[in-house]
Amino acid sequence: MVGSLGVRKGAWTEEEDILLRKCVEKYGEGRWHEVPSRAGLNRCRKSCRMRWLNYLKPNVKRGQFSVDEVDLIIRLHKLLGNRWSLIAGRLSGRTANDVKNYWNSNQRKKVISSTDEVQSKPKAKSITRDNIIKPQPWKFRNLFWLRGKSTPLINVGSQYGDDLCKPCYSTVSPPSDINEVESIWWESSLDDKEINQTINSSCLGSVSVSAAAAYLESSESHFVKNNAPRGIKTGDVFYEQGQNCWSDISLDADLWNLINTELDQQQPEGLQSIML
DNA sequence: AAAGGCCACAACCGCCTCGCA
DNA sequence: TTGCGAGGCGGTTGTGGCCTT
C-alpha cells in the first residue's frame, strides 16, 4: 500500500523491521525525520518512530498483562484518565499503545457495564453547572523545589477565591532527589494517611487529578538541574514566589476523596515494587 | 464448509507542545 | 514575538485470526 505522497503504509515487513532496527542501533533513537532516508525505508517519520517504540525496541514486553499490571492500569486510569503514556511509564516494558489497546478491548467494557449498573440506580445528585468537576491542566515544570536549592514560600489560594481559602504561607523543603520526589507522591497517592498529612500541611485541601498527571509528567521528564528563579509556572504564566498561583489549579475534593477511597480499599503487595 | 461477528493488536491520523531560528 | 518543524500523544481505523452459527 502506498500513500498519496509515495510513502508506504500498512503492515511492516520483516525486511523493513531489520532496516529500521539497524538504523536505530547505528544512529540511536531520535531525529526520526532522518530515519527513513538513513534506513532506506519508504515510510514516514511517524511510522518509523511508532514501529520502533511499540514493537522493535528491545525492552518492549509482549504478551498478556499480569494481574498486577491490570490492577495498576485500572488504578492509574482512575487517577489519570486516558493518559496512556503516563500509565505505560509505570508499567515496565509496556507501551502506551499496548495499554490503550488493552483498555479499549477489555477494561472499557467492564467500566461501561458497571456504569450501566450505577445508572440503573437512583441518582443521588444531579449534575449542574455548579457541581460539575472540571479538571484544569497544571504544569509543574518550573516548580521551585524541583529546581532550586532554596526554600521558598508559597502563597496558596484557591479557584473559589481567597474568601474560601485564605492565603497561607507554607514552608516547603525540597526533596533531595528525583526518586525521593516520586516516592513521596506515590506514597501519598496510595496511602490515605500520608495524603491527609501532606495536604493539611500545605493548606491545599485537595489536589486535582490533572495535577496528579502533571506531577507524573514533571517527575518523568521535566526535572531540571539548574538553579532557576524562585517561583512556579502554571501554563504560560510564571509566578514569582509570594504570588497567588493556586487559583489556576482545580481543587476537586470530591474526586480526590473518591480516588483515595478506592485506593485505600485494596492495595496489592506487588504494587509498590512495580511503581517505585 | 462458509459467512458473519468478535476480538486483539497494529497502524494511521490529526492535533498539541516545545524548541529553535 | 512569531512562525516553523520535529516529537509526542490520544483517538480512531484497519487487519487478521478465532469462534459461532
Side-chain angles (χ1 to χ4, degrees), chain A residues 66-76 91 186 189-191 259-276:
Chain A
S66 68
V67 176
D68 278 350
E69 285 175 318
V70 171
D71 187 78
L72 193 52
I73 289 170
I74 294 167
R75 289 159 187 275
L76 287 171
L91 295 162
W186 278 109
S189 46
L190 294 172
D191 185 347
I259 293 161
N260 287 339
T261 307
E262 182 66 27
L263 291 175
D264 209 29
Q265 276 171 0
Q266 46 171 246
Q267 191 174 142
E269 290 174 10
L271 196 56
Q272 296 237 347
S273 61
I274 292 172
M275 295 184 302
L276 299 178

Side-chain angles (χ1 to χ4, degrees), chain A residues 7 30 34 59 90 106 144 162 173 176 190 194 197 203 205 211 216 233 238-239 250 257 268 270:
Chain A
V7 180
E34 293 175 358
N59 62 348
R90 299 286 135 188
N106 291 276
F144 57 89
D162 289 346
S173 300
S176 59
L190 294 172
E194 290 281 345
Q197 226 174 356
C203 304
L216 282 179
K233 187 182 181 189
F238 185 85
Y239 294 86
S250 76
N257 289 336

Side-chain angles (χ1 to χ4, degrees), chain A residues 27-249:
Chain A
Y27 297 101
E29 279 185 57
R31 304 187 71 82
W32 292 106
H33 63 287
E34 293 175 358
V35 168
S37 58
R38 279 174 172 172
L41 287 165
N42 190 26
R43 295 273 186 175
C44 72
R45 61 184 176 92
K46 287 185 172 188
S47 187
C48 293
R49 174 182 169 272
M50 185 221 46
R51 183 64 179 174
W52 172 257
L53 292 178
N54 292 330
Y55 198 84
L56 297 176
K57 206 173 177 179
N59 62 348
V60 169
K61 196 198 283 184
R62 311 199 68 77
Q64 284 204 321
F65 283 81
S66 68
V67 176
D68 278 350
E69 285 175 318
V70 171
D71 187 78
L72 193 52
I73 289 170
I74 294 167
R75 289 159 187 275
L76 287 171
H77 187 268
K78 192 169 282 182
L79 192 64
L80 304 171
N82 294 356
R83 310 294 296 274
W84 305 118
S85 61
L86 288 176
I87 295 171
R90 299 286 135 188
L91 295 162
S92 173
R94 298 295 186 181
T95 67
N97 213 31
D98 272 346
V99 175
K100 181 171 57 181
N101 282 332
Y102 176 79
W103 184 265
N104 287 338
S105 57
N106 291 276
Q107 295 304 321
R108 193 170 58 174
K109 281 176 284 185
K110 293 178 186 173
V111 170
I112 289 170
S113 62
S114 65
T115 306
D116 289 344
E117 284 175 26
V118 169
Q119 282 175 344
S120 66
K121 295 174 184 173
K123 287 178 184 174
K125 192 180 179 180
S126 62
I127 297 173
T128 67
R129 270 184 63 177
D130 297 329
N131 65 18
I132 193 166
I133 295 168
K134 187 182 175 187
Q136 300 290 321
W138 186 20
K139 296 282 184 186
F140 282 73
R141 181 147 313 168
N142 292 320
L143 251 180
F144 57 89
W145 51 271
L146 301 180
R147 305 185 67 157
K149 297 169 185 170
S150 57
T151 305
L153 297 172
I154 313 168
N155 183 358
V156 180
S158 85
Q159 69 180 112
Y160 306 108
D162 289 346
D163 290 341
L164 291 177
C165 180
K166 296 286 182 190
C168 61
Y169 292 87
S170 64
T171 305
V172 184
S173 300
S176 59
D177 60 30
I178 293 170
N179 289 334
E180 189 183 346
V181 171
E182 206 169 356
S183 298
I184 289 169
W185 189 87
W186 278 109
E187 282 168 19
S188 298
S189 46
L190 294 172
D191 185 347
D192 202 30
K193 296 169 221 157
E194 290 281 345
I195 231 162
N196 291 334
Q197 226 174 356
T198 309
I199 286 168
N200 290 338
S201 67
S202 65
C203 304
L204 271 177
S206 72
V207 183
S208 74
V209 169
S210 47
Y215 183 90
L216 282 179
E217 282 175 349
S218 68
S219 65
E220 287 285 317
S221 56
H222 298 313
F223 280 100
V224 255
K225 329 86 197 167
N226 305 327
N227 290 334
R230 298 175 187 182
I232 298 173
K233 187 182 181 189
T234 62
D236 292 326
V237 184
F238 185 85
Y239 294 86
E240 290 294 333
Q241 68 177 73
Q243 277 185 280
N244 185 343
C245 63
W246 297 102
S247 57
D248 281 353
I249 300 165

